[in-house]
Amino acid sequence: MNLEPEYREGLDQLAAHYKEVLSLLGEDPSREGLEKTPMRVAKAMQVLTRGYTQDARKVLTDALFEEKYNQMVIVKDIDFFSMCEHHMLPFFGKVHVAYIPNGYITGLSKIARVVDIFSHRLQVQERMTQQIKDCIQDTLKPLGVMVVVEAKHLCMQMRGVEKQNSITTTSDFSGAFNQAKTREEFMNLIRPK
């Protein structure tokens, strides 16, 4: 079984650039420990940015089912990691998603796939939160959507202010979640026990 993912066009050029980066940092890219590093990093970056080649709306519509359920559907604690577009350092955490169906539901795993697609791009947390919400709202046309993202950013932990315990929380919502009572119900349901 081949566990190696398919790589996109430009892999060799990307590796050549990483070899140059190593040289510019003062390293010898031909030494034993670094000899294969440029290609490893190029492959890793293509995996970490695979979201550019995936269609989140198609993921949702491939598992669309007519259903008369009209109460809140929550998928919480969806692990994610992404790359900060400002420093190209990781940020990671949990995403919590709720939607209130309006005649149609999607497979629960598809919500996690949407998170995966948008997180596998160079990102800022605020945009990612909004993209997840917009995708679900525009594709499923539910009565409302709410997304909360909680993340740690290595660009804050490893450099700059170097604050290891800070967590950034962002949210976005639409429709029925414009009502404070509905948002509060969602927040209570995702709160750790």
Side-chain angles (χ1 to χ4, degrees), residues 7 19 45 48 82 88 119 149 159 173-174 183 185:
Y7 296 104
K19 185 174 183 178
M45 289 305 292
L48 296 174
S82 191
M88 291 183 67
S119 66
V149 179
R159 54 158 303 283
F173 50 86
S174 64
R183 284 194 312 276
E185 178 184 349

Side-chain angles (χ1 to χ4, degrees), residues 23 46 66 71 90 119 135 167 187:
S23 292
Q46 282 203 353
E66 191 170 344
Q71 299 299 314
S119 66
C135 179
I167 296 174
M187 296 304 288

Side-chain angles (χ1 to χ4, degrees), residues 72-141:
M72 201 178 300
V73 175
I74 299 173
V75 182
K76 68 178 196 170
D77 295 330
I78 302 167
D79 292 317
F80 83 94
F81 62 90
S82 191
M83 297 286 283
C84 159
E85 71 180 32
H86 300 142
H87 303 99
M88 291 183 67
L89 289 171
F91 67 97
F92 58 93
K94 304 260 186 212
V95 177
H96 315 286
V97 177
Y99 75 99
I100 301 173
N102 187 18
Y104 291 92
I105 60 171
T106 190
L108 297 175
S109 68
K110 305 311 178 191
I111 300 295
R113 292 270 322 274
V114 168
V115 170
D116 190 53
I117 289 168
F118 287 114
S119 66
H120 279 79
R121 299 175 181 185
L122 297 180
Q123 276 291 13
V124 294
Q125 182 174 332
E126 298 88 344
R127 182 188 321 118
M128 186 181 85
T129 304
Q130 186 174 17
Q131 287 174 331
I132 295 166
K133 187 266 301 175
D134 288 346
C135 179
I136 295 168
Q137 182 65 52
D138 296 345
T139 307
L140 299 182
K141 310 260 189 270

Side-chain angles (χ1 to χ4, degrees), residues 165-182:
N165 296 308
S166 64
I167 296 174
T168 301
T169 303
T170 52
S171 68
D172 198 4
F173 50 86
S174 64
F177 289 94
N178 284 308
Q179 299 172 24
K181 183 178 177 184
T182 309

Side-chain angles (χ1 to χ4, degrees), residues 3-54:
L3 297 177
E4 192 82 1
E6 286 191 30
Y7 296 104
R8 303 189 300 273
E9 191 176 319
L11 188 64
D12 290 331
Q13 296 94 324
L14 197 53
H17 287 293
Y18 281 114
K19 185 174 183 178
E20 180 67 18
V21 167
L22 288 172
S23 292
L24 291 170
L25 292 174
E27 267 293 353
D28 174 7
S30 64
R31 76 174 169 85
E32 184 182 13
L34 292 176
E35 204 170 25
K36 295 181 181 177
T37 297
M39 183 55 76
R40 285 188 194 110
V41 175
K43 287 179 176 180
M45 289 305 292
Q46 282 203 353
V47 169
L48 296 174
T49 59
R50 69 179 179 248
Y52 290 120
T53 63
Q54 298 171 328

